[in-house]
Amino acid sequence: MRNGIELLVRRVSAIPQHSISSTFRFLPQFCSSSSASPSSKLFIGGLSWSVDEQSLKDAFSSFGEVSEVRIAYDKGSGRSRGYGFVDFAEEDDALSAKHAMDGKGLLGRPLRISFALARVRGGPVVVPRFGKQPKRDR
DNA sequence: AATGAGCGT
């Protein structure tokens, strides 16, 4: 019995933090996005409406090789939604960029930077329901 | 038309 508990604790501890964050992203206590989820991708909030992907990349290129820059645009109007993502080739560069740029102003607006959450790939998981199945002819 | 936390057409 004791061994079983120790085994369970060891297995839970082995789950990477970023995996927990993406799995339980709907629970705020597991989504401390400002803390160090190890990733090379930064979430950049607080962008001025007028910041485009090129100027965002320019603002972060001095910290290392930027492998991807995305700004979230509104589907219909094409206006910026005021946040975006900067992905670095090196995790270290992402971390130093975060430390240097978080709270710093870009075009007059303070940036809010955290590590990006893993993009949700499949959509909501539909849990199968058991119990009341419709009667089926046989 | 304007908007100001957020996690991506």
Side-chain angles (χ1 to χ4, degrees):
Chain A
M1 184 48 127
R2 239 194 81 100
N3 282 335
I5 292 173
E6 285 172 356
L7 191 65
L8 178 64
V9 168
R10 216 173 313 157
R11 293 192 64 113
V12 168
S13 312
I15 300 173
Q17 210 278 330
H18 63 272
S19 165
I20 296 175
S21 292
S22 55
T23 304
F24 298 103
R25 53 186 309 184
F26 51 90
L27 296 175
Q29 59 266 43
F30 292 123
C31 298
S32 49
S33 51
S34 58
S35 78
S37 341
S39 167
S40 63
K41 184 174 283 193
L42 299 177
F43 170 88
I44 316 289
L47 292 177
S48 167
W49 314 126
S50 55
V51 172
D52 62 2
E53 291 180 345
Q54 184 57 56
S55 55
L56 185 59
K57 180 173 183 176
D58 291 344
F60 283 84
S61 295
S62 60
F63 300 96
E65 182 190 339
V66 173
S67 51
E68 185 188 11
V69 179
R70 293 266 71 139
I71 285 182
Y73 289 103
D74 184 78
K75 264 192 308 277
S77 65
R79 291 185 338 277
S80 167
R81 288 158 70 164
Y83 67 88
F85 301 86
V86 174
D87 198 355
F88 284 87
E90 288 290 334
E91 280 186 18
D92 299 343
D93 296 334
L95 184 61
S96 50
K98 175 178 175 337
H99 285 151
M101 297 295 283
D102 195 12
K104 297 282 291 236
L106 182 61
L107 267 42
R109 281 257 161 198
L111 266 28
R112 301 170 27 75
I113 304 183
S114 49
F115 286 102
L117 272 33
R119 189 166 10 192
V120 49
R121 280 136 46 185
V125 176
V126 177
V127 179
R129 298 296 158 110
F130 300 103
K132 297 195 171 162
Q133 296 294 335
K135 282 198 191 268
R136 206 171 291 274
D137 293 318
R138 171 99 331 183

